[in-house]
Amino acid sequence: MTWEVVIGLEIHAQLNTNTKIFSGSSIAYGAEPNTQANLLDLGMPGQLPVLNKAVLPKAIRFGLAVGATIGRKSVFDRKNYFYPDLPKGYQTSQFSYPIVDKGGFLEIEVDGEIKKIGITRAHLEEDAGKSVHDAFPGQTGIDLNRAGTPLLEIVSEPDMRSAQEAVAYARKMHELVQYLGICDGNMQEGSFRVDSNVSIHKPGTPFGTRAELKNINSFKFIEQAIEFEIARQIEILESGGKVVQETRLYDSEKNETRSMRAKEEANDYRYFPCPDLLPVVVTDEDIEAIRAEMPELPSAKRARYVFEFGLSDYDASFLTGSRAMAEYFEAVVSHSKDAKMSANWVMGELSKSLNQQGIDINESPVSAEALAGLLARIQDNTISGKIAKQVFDAMWNQEGSADEIIAAKGLKQITDSSAIEALVDEVLAANAAQVEAYRNGQDKMFGYFVGQVMKVSQGQANPGQVNEILKRKLS
Amino acid sequence: MHRLSIKQMSEKLRTREITSVALTQHYLDRIEKYDGDLNAYITVTPELAIEMARKADEMLDKGEGSLLTGIPVAHKDIFCIDGVKTSCGSKMLHNFVAPYDATVVEKLKSVGMPILGKTNMDEFAMGSSSESSYYGPTKNPWKLNAVPGGSSGGSAAVIAAGLAPFATGTDTGGSIRQPASFCGITGIKPTYGAVSRYGMIAYASSFDQGGPMSRSAEDAAWLLDAMSGFDAKDSTSLEQEKSDYTAQLEESLKGLRVGVPKEYFGEGLSESVSNTVKEAIEVLRQQGADIVEVSLPNKDLAVPAYYVLAPAEASSNLSRFDGVRYGYRCENPQDLSDLYMRSRSEGFGTEVKRRIMVGAYALSEGYYDAYYLKAQKLRRMVRDDFVNAFEQCDVIVGPVAPTTAFNIGEKSDDPISMYLEDLYTIPVNLAGLPAMSVPAGFAEGMPVGLHLIGTYHSEAKLLNVAHQFQQVTSWHEQMPEAYQ
Amino acid sequence: MSIGKDDVNKISRLAAISVSEQEVDQVADKLSNILDLFAQMQAVNTDGIEPMSHPLDQVQRLREDVITENNHRDKYQKIAPSAEGGMYLVPQVIE
């Protein structure tokens, strides 16, 4: 019998609030050390927490999106341990009564198979600060700006059976929290952190001892780290050894995991209800109000793109890949009223340019409105699709709006029939031999004539009219 | 001057017969003269006091301010004052200059009450004798080799000796009432949530409650009025509109149902204290109150439940004292673990360490259900006893402590007998009820307090009963001879 | 219920309070006395009684998500045992 891999993920999604979960300090990224660490964040004596109003609807929105039970009475507990980046000596978290309770799940697709991954719970908690290890000889520096940043910790069931499944789940979750507008998803800045619990066992026997792979900041590395960890555990067990329960760090340069700290001994966190905070009560009305404001979820959006816009499954998936992409696309469609044409441009020229520069769609120099302006000129025959690509490139380089560029470069399409007819006559006269060949049955030559006419018109002749006139003249 | 009531002082200040500077200086002089022996202050802040008194005088000159403007106050060293050392009686915070004001401090500053200094206390408020202070024990002004009670022993002593007209205290398991009883002054622990805990260094958060300590109930009512009220910075602050604590002072006690719990007069209570308290109850009866017997059957469970729950909360609350961001740090820490272990074992005193360890144990794996959860259930049973008793009476009366002030050193080595000192006060904290200690006479020459316990939010009623009692008694006006 | 040396050492680690070899017996003794005091709780029937975490029946109040705190780093670090370059310093932590 072969080994079966068992993976569960704990994902920390930083909630995109203005202030910390229990204090009025900013959570903006990148500030000078400890300039956003105030009295409560520093754990000063006598300081008391008050819960940030903004975190609850965000957590509940998540719970509703995954179909989980919402904790009507959730309780903040203290998780007690000593670490320099934990200023109070405890982390305020939710242990027994989380805001998002059982019943949630996410569907993932791997190799064409759809699989349901259970979500055990999701709870609110405060982030710790940061330790800086290399700036002071023999000492560690502590920056508490991040301490108290609101997190939603999303715990999955151990339902994943391969690194591919784990990454599919993590990506899906990454997409979801951004869709819901609760997390910016920035993995480089640590806004979305994935811890993987990996173990192996023989099917039909109890689960094996797991190792936890912590804080890996790209999907590629998550997959590599899990693959490495699976191989490591198989090797240990097959050579008669035992897997130790521990936290392991992934080294992306060496592509290996290594032990960080053994977990078994210090693992007595002495959770108890935080006496400085009272139970958080959520009513039916609160939930209904949040449900009414829910953004459309990716799966619903995809289905709508197929049915309402007549797009292919592939196109619909591509365009709903991120909330920003879908919003851009829908903005273009709202002007152009032509979903297929809009899809082609967003997935074609726009995505190509974005990829080339390695930037995100919301940083695009061509706005959805500007792109729609370009499409309008194709639709009203001012320019051809081919010219439009040229115009797009100019727009990308910030040369102006579609109309300005068309006017400045004189790219307006020739639609005057007599002018086109003159061009056609000119081409036919200059290519008598080819005309002869066409008439003798070489139908393929028709395209050659179209090309020649377009060439002499410098691409500006209306292709439809060129076709029509050529057909008439050659018949 | 120090024998005047607050109302009288206020009158003299408003008519400008005296100035706040003079009044404040009078107390500073007395502190200078007497506190060397008493050791009731950890820090005296003469410059701050005079500066604030000057400002108060400016207000008074213009006819501004309230009844308390210009009257000095001493703060228990558990309340943070911006720019003033706030030690909580601990070596751990010996070098801690607080960077902000507690809400209570801010409120009393805003009405113009000059700050005389910070009073001595049991380390981190853990104790019933004020002996566990890093700054040495405070002495009882009635008898210098006796303790003043604790943990707010410094505050009680300064009122008794006339070293401040007012003091703030905190009461987690009896820390306002027991020292008030031992020193013959008036103290009230309000309903949990009535006084903001923001800036009050936490011992056990779900029990801690600040309150006033003064000579008379009327004085206490004025100070409580100024200290209390909703505070958005404290999640456990009561949101309801606060009562006017002075409004009911003059009401008659006719028809008042006074409950006497039989369990409060059982084994362990000294006979002389019992007699003094019974005489005080007789006074209430003569004032028209109906005395009824009530029962608090689970009283004896309160002490063990409290000594599980309060240390459990404390073990977590005191984890922030780690030598990293403020407070004591050991010399030359070898590594991180050494930094923690040594800073904490050198910075904390014996009793604080003991409670942290008990609390950590009660919360640890395998013991949580048997200790912590069990104690939480008992807490509800004790609370329910009060709820039931208050169906038959308006206030409950009894002793505050089983004895009068014991001698320094007598119990400091025996934690259990020290814990049992609080058997009458602790049930009130478990329930979160308001309660007072009112001077009720003397036993063997030492003061005895009458315990008044009310239902939730009944501070005004308690103060009314105490004030009426003080209209026909003069125990609260007594002062030890040496300090008159 | 009595507490042994191993228990004291475990609690000492959890509480981050060192207990020297000389103190350990005395600490064990005092803690055992306190546990004896707790023992009387176990005899009480508490079936069906809901644990009470808090004396108030209120629910958690919420704060507006508005920045109210400014940078006071210099003031706060003035009371720090060891700080440099805006950071608090501790002995090297090895991960």
Side-chain angles (χ1 to χ4, degrees), chain A residues 42-46 49 78 80 87, chain B residues 100 199 235 316-317 320 325-326:
Chain A
L42 295 171
M44 284 288 172
R78 292 184 183 176
N80 295 283
Chain B
Y100 74 106
S235 293
S316 173
N317 282 336
R320 64 188 61 203
R325 297 162 312 284
Y326 51 79

Side-chain angles (χ1 to χ4, degrees), chain A residues 376-415:
Chain A
R377 296 291 83 82
I378 303 172
Q379 287 169 318
D380 69 8
N381 283 333
T382 305
I383 54 172
S384 66
K386 194 161 176 203
I387 292 290
K389 288 181 183 176
Q390 198 184 324
V391 176
F392 180 85
D393 288 342
M395 290 167 75
W396 186 267
N397 293 327
Q398 316 262 13
E399 288 172 31
S401 70
D403 287 340
E404 286 162 0
I405 292 163
I406 291 165
K409 299 198 172 185
L411 298 173
K412 196 167 177 322
Q413 191 158 253
I414 301 165
T415 50

Side-chain angles (χ1 to χ4, degrees), chain A residues 332-378:
Chain A
V332 177
V333 175
S334 75
H335 290 97
S336 76
K337 313 291 178 208
D338 184 337
K340 279 190 181 154
M341 183 192 207
S342 303
N344 287 340
W345 276 85
V346 172
M347 295 171 66
E349 291 309 299
L350 178 74
S351 292
K352 197 173 79 194
S353 303
L354 291 171
N355 283 343
Q356 271 166 7
Q357 295 212 352
I359 58 173
D360 213 54
I361 193 157
N362 38 34
E363 298 165 295
S364 167
V366 178
S367 70
E369 290 67 31
L371 179 59
L374 174 62
L375 301 193
R377 296 291 83 82
I378 303 172

Side-chain angles (χ1 to χ4, degrees), chain A residues 287-325:
Chain A
I287 292 177
E288 287 322 307
I290 292 163
R291 200 191 300 279
E293 305 263 288
M294 285 278 276
E296 188 182 23
L297 297 179
S299 52
K301 234 186 226 308
R302 265 195 292 281
R304 183 164 65 82
Y305 285 9
V306 172
F307 289 107
E308 191 181 314
F309 295 151
L311 299 182
S312 68
D313 281 341
Y314 176 82
D315 290 2
S317 293
F318 185 94
L319 292 167
T320 55
S322 78
R323 184 171 169 177
M325 172 79 80

Side-chain angles (χ1 to χ4, degrees), chain A residues 246-291:
Chain A
E246 62 184 353
T247 300
R248 295 182 70 83
L249 281 183
Y250 177 68
D251 182 334
S252 58
E253 275 167 35
K254 295 184 185 152
N255 186 27
E256 62 176 33
T257 66
R258 64 169 186 272
S259 182
M260 186 166 133
R261 55 173 179 253
K263 221 178 173 182
E264 70 276 55
E265 186 174 79
N267 201 2
D268 189 346
Y269 292 125
R270 291 157 288 140
Y271 283 99
F272 75 105
C274 178
D276 288 329
L277 291 163
L278 298 168
V280 177
V281 171
V282 177
T283 64
D284 286 350
E285 293 76 50
D286 295 335
I287 292 177
E288 287 322 307
I290 292 163
R291 200 191 300 279

Side-chain angles (χ1 to χ4, degrees), chain C residues 63-88:
Chain C
R63 175 179 64 75
E64 294 297 326
D65 183 23
V66 175
I67 297 171
T68 54
E69 300 294 316
N70 306 310
N71 173 23
H72 295 294
R73 185 175 75 184
D74 292 346
K75 179 176 183 180
Y76 300 154
Q77 292 197 342
K78 218 185 295 169
I79 53 172
S82 177
E84 205 181 303
M87 305 248 194
Y88 293 99

Side-chain angles (χ1 to χ4, degrees), chain A residues 207-265:
Chain A
F207 284 170
T209 306
R210 63 176 195 266
E212 187 179 18
L213 311 177
K214 262 190 130 61
N215 291 351
I216 305 171
N217 64 3
S218 87
F219 294 117
K220 191 177 107 194
F221 290 154
I222 292 167
E223 184 160 353
Q224 288 175 2
I226 294 175
E227 293 288 12
F228 175 88
E229 184 56 25
I230 293 167
R232 188 186 72 91
Q233 292 187 13
I234 290 175
E235 196 180 301
I236 291 174
L237 293 181
E238 293 198 336
S239 61
K242 272 176 92 174
V243 175
V244 184
Q245 184 173 340
E246 62 184 353
T247 300
R248 295 182 70 83
L249 281 183
Y250 177 68
D251 182 334
S252 58
E253 275 167 35
K254 295 184 185 152
N255 186 27
E256 62 176 33
T257 66
R258 64 169 186 272
S259 182
M260 186 166 133
R261 55 173 179 253
K263 221 178 173 182
E264 70 276 55
E265 186 174 79

